[in-house]
Structure formats: C-alpha cells, structure tokens
Amino acid sequence: MTIRHILTIAATTSIAACALTSCDWVKDDLSDCPECQGTLSVKIEHRYNMLHADAASSRVEKADVFIRNTATGETQHKAFDKAMLDASGYYADMEFAGAGTYDCLVWSGIDNKIFDWDTQTVSLATQPGDTIAHRLPLIFHGRADATNMELRSDNLATVDMMQDTKFVNVTFKYNGSRHVQDTDFLLTLSAPNSVLDASNNTAADHATTYKPYGARTESIDHQQVVSYALSTLRLMEKDRDQCRLRLDYRPADGSQEQNLFDIPIIDYLLMCKDFEGENMKTQEYLDRQSTYHIVFLIRDTGNPHAPFAVSVLSVNNWQMRDDQPVVKTN
C-alpha cells in the first residue's frame, strides 16, 4: 500500500503559479487536475529542539506548504489546519505535475498581516524606531530542498520545523528599602530580526525594539520581585553585536533616572550553552532553545544619583553569579 493510500487528509485549498517564472499566486482547486501526475507527502516534524524529540503535534498548530519545481519555477501551495494535520499524522499531501527536482518550504503561524506570499517572507513591517509590545504568534520554519520526485509515485519528504518565535523572561529580585513596581522600569530588547526570508535568515535593515507583553510585581520572602515577558523572532549569531537587552529605572515621581544595564543579550543567553547545549554550535543552540529565563539581583547603592547596582543571578538556572556586577556597554 502506498503512502498516499495510507494518508487521510481533509479537503484543502491550494494556490498554484501559472507562469513559469512568475511569483504571482492564483487560487485553484487541484483535486481533479489532470495535469497532476504524482504526489508528495511532506512529513512535518519538530525535532529541532532541546529534547531532540518530535513535538510537532503539540507545538505546530498549522502549516502552509509550498513546493517549487526548480527547473520550471512552478510553485504550488496548500494550507493545513490542526485538524487536517492530526488526521493525517502530520503528513501534508501535495500534488504536482512533472517529474524533477523540487524544493519544499513550510511555514507555520503565518497570516496576511506578516507574510508576503510573493517572496515567501515573514515581516513584522516595522520602521526604524518602531516598537512591538505584544506577544508574537508562534512561528515555525522548515525546508527540504532538492527532493527528486517521480511520476505516478507517492514521494516522501521530511521537514524538521524550527521555532522562530523566542521568549525571554526577565526577573529581578530587589531586597532594598525602596518600594518598586514594574511600571518604574523600562525593559527593551532590540534586534535586527523583524524580517525572515524564505531561507529563514534575518533580513531586516534596521533593529526593532521589543517591549514586554506582560509584567507583574510580587513580594516573595521579604523581597520585591519584578518579572517581564518578551517575545522576539529568530536570534542569529551574525547579529550578535546588534542584539541588546536594556533596563532603565524611570520612577513615576520623576526622581533620578538610571540606566541599570545595556548588555549584549546573545552573550548572556549563551552563558548556559555549555550545560544545556553541550557539543552544539552556537547557532544550533540559539535555534533549538526557545525560552530563556534571566534573573538579576538589584541592590541599593546609597548613591542618590545611581540608586541601584545590578548583578546577574542566573540564566536558565545556570551560571550563578551573585557577586559579578553587570558591566554597561553602550
């Protein structure tokens, strides 16, 4: 029994390119297309994570699958929702016309607000100076290039999805004499990653500033604890010098403001690479890891012009550094 006979996939819509060299899309129903002479079953997985286990069924909620004939440029697209993927065991069934070599591209979490269908590029559409303060959608990317497809056959390609949406949770503990709230501080993360091209490389020509989409202040064990949650897109080693995390003290009463730190965020995230990502290359670790927790310790200085001193306490529960002050690098 062939792969195509095994699969049970609900009805889908598809988009096919008519011109050989054009990137324009037209909607078409290919289910009865006499020119479709074979099938490609795209197995969607998400093993590119810290556990090295397939988490697609619990993480990848939908999939937009593109296949492109590398010789003719003809491209087809189908969208699969969660119900379709669950029913098929996370196989996406595509039809094609003409044997040859095909490239397969899969995005998850895209919509018309952030996706350019002509270039197959994700873009948050920011301009220099823009800020993003909402939680980003859960975006995944995967490719399987140069797949050889034969006519009148059920061909198979496996795509391992990478989670592009990253979450950075920042907490600081304060045991001093002042009463502080999360609104007294401004936390920002800046990175040139608001555009991801079809190969999943960051392609923005400017940095975008991300602000927390969530914040809270608590009292725990006689300490004031302030927590922030941010989201951003793929972090790449090539952008290392441009990715920064900054915290400013801006009290509501208008008293002395202070920049508490302005640090190269990727360098700090990599503090735990040797423990969590042993034998991984830097970019692989940044791609497999999807959530980071950074804890800072803030204490009083007695100096009214610079009331706080800051130390790194931990990153993902590793690298305890109570005694090392954060060095500001502007």
Side-chain angles (χ1 to χ4, degrees):
M1 184 176 290
T2 66
I3 295 173
R4 179 169 172 74
H5 291 145
I6 295 174
L7 300 179
T8 303
I9 298 180
T12 64
T13 59
S14 61
I15 300 175
C18 292
L20 296 182
T21 59
S22 173
C23 288
D24 294 331
W25 302 92
V26 292
K27 293 184 178 180
D28 193 11
D29 182 359
L30 297 179
S31 58
D32 298 316
C33 175
E35 298 179 356
C36 297
Q37 303 169 19
T39 62
L40 170 65
S41 294
V42 180
K43 179 65 170 74
I44 297 173
E45 298 182 346
H46 174 46
R47 298 181 183 274
Y48 206 67
N49 54 54
M50 293 301 292
L51 297 177
H52 301 267
D54 186 10
S57 62
S58 61
R59 302 293 290 166
V60 180
E61 293 292 328
K62 57 183 179 179
D64 281 88
V65 182
F66 304 82
I67 59 172
R68 176 181 177 273
N69 187 310
T70 59
T72 67
E74 181 181 358
T75 305
Q76 295 181 16
H77 161 257
K78 283 186 181 180
F80 298 83
D81 62 23
K82 176 66 171 172
M84 297 174 186
L85 295 173
D86 283 339
S88 67
Y90 273 71
Y91 286 88
D93 192 25
M94 305 291 291
E95 295 175 318
F96 67 92
T101 301
Y102 284 73
D103 291 339
C104 179
L105 168 65
V106 183
W107 284 102
S108 178
I110 61 173
D111 58 31
N112 290 333
K113 294 180 181 179
I114 64 171
F115 194 70
D116 187 315
W117 297 94
D118 291 337
T119 62
Q120 300 165 1
T121 297
V122 167
S123 175
L124 301 181
T126 63
Q127 300 297 320
D130 285 355
T131 61
I132 295 177
H134 59 270
R135 179 177 175 140
L136 297 178
L138 203 56
I139 298 172
F140 291 81
H141 171 277
R143 288 189 72 104
D145 289 342
T147 300
N148 186 42
M149 299 216 273
E150 300 177 353
L151 294 179
R152 293 175 294 279
S153 297
D154 287 319
N155 302 273
L156 177 65
T158 300
V159 174
D160 193 358
M161 305 292 284
M162 177 191 301
Q163 183 174 324
D164 282 332
T165 305
K166 306 297 181 181
F167 297 96
V168 181
N169 300 313
V170 178
T171 299
F172 65 80
K173 300 179 180 180
Y174 171 64
N175 58 0
S177 59
R178 296 170 179 259
H179 177 71
V180 298
Q181 296 287 333
D182 55 82
T183 53
D184 293 334
F185 300 87
L186 175 63
L187 180 71
T188 57
L189 187 157
S190 60
N193 62 354
S194 61
V195 177
L196 299 174
D197 65 20
S199 296
N200 208 32
N201 292 312
T202 54
D205 58 6
H206 62 274
T208 295
T209 298
Y210 301 89
K211 292 182 178 180
Y213 62 83
R216 64 180 181 178
T217 305
E218 300 177 281
S219 179
I220 302 176
D221 195 22
H222 306 293
Q223 293 187 97
Q224 295 177 70
V225 179
V226 180
S227 300
Y228 301 95
L230 300 96
S231 60
T232 187
L233 289 184
R234 189 185 184 194
L235 297 170
M236 298 195 69
E237 185 179 14
K238 73 179 182 67
D239 303 324
R240 193 168 185 161
D241 294 338
Q242 302 178 68
C243 298
R244 314 217 35 110
L245 184 70
R246 180 184 176 105
L247 181 68
D248 292 286
Y249 176 57
R250 295 183 176 180
D253 61 9
S255 59
Q256 181 67 40
E257 297 185 2
Q258 180 187 3
N259 172 232
L260 299 178
F261 58 76
D262 185 352
I263 58 176
I265 179 62
I266 289 180
D267 290 341
Y268 278 75
L269 300 184
L270 292 175
M271 286 168 57
C272 52
K273 172 181 173 295
D274 290 341
F275 300 95
E276 293 185 318
E278 187 177 1
N279 299 322
M280 290 183 191
K281 294 183 178 180
T282 297
Q283 190 59 55
E284 180 184 357
Y285 174 73
L286 292 172
D287 289 334
R288 285 185 179 273
Q289 183 63 269
S290 59
T291 303
Y292 298 93
H293 302 273
I294 306 177
V295 180
F296 294 93
L297 178 66
I298 296 182
R299 60 181 182 272
D300 290 331
T301 65
N303 181 353
H305 301 293
F308 298 114
V310 185
S311 299
V312 177
L313 188 59
S314 68
V315 177
N316 280 15
N317 295 322
W318 295 100
Q319 296 285 344
M320 305 301 291
R321 290 172 45 167
D322 279 4
D323 57 342
Q324 297 192 23
V326 172
V327 178
K328 291 195 300 179
T329 53
N330 297 315

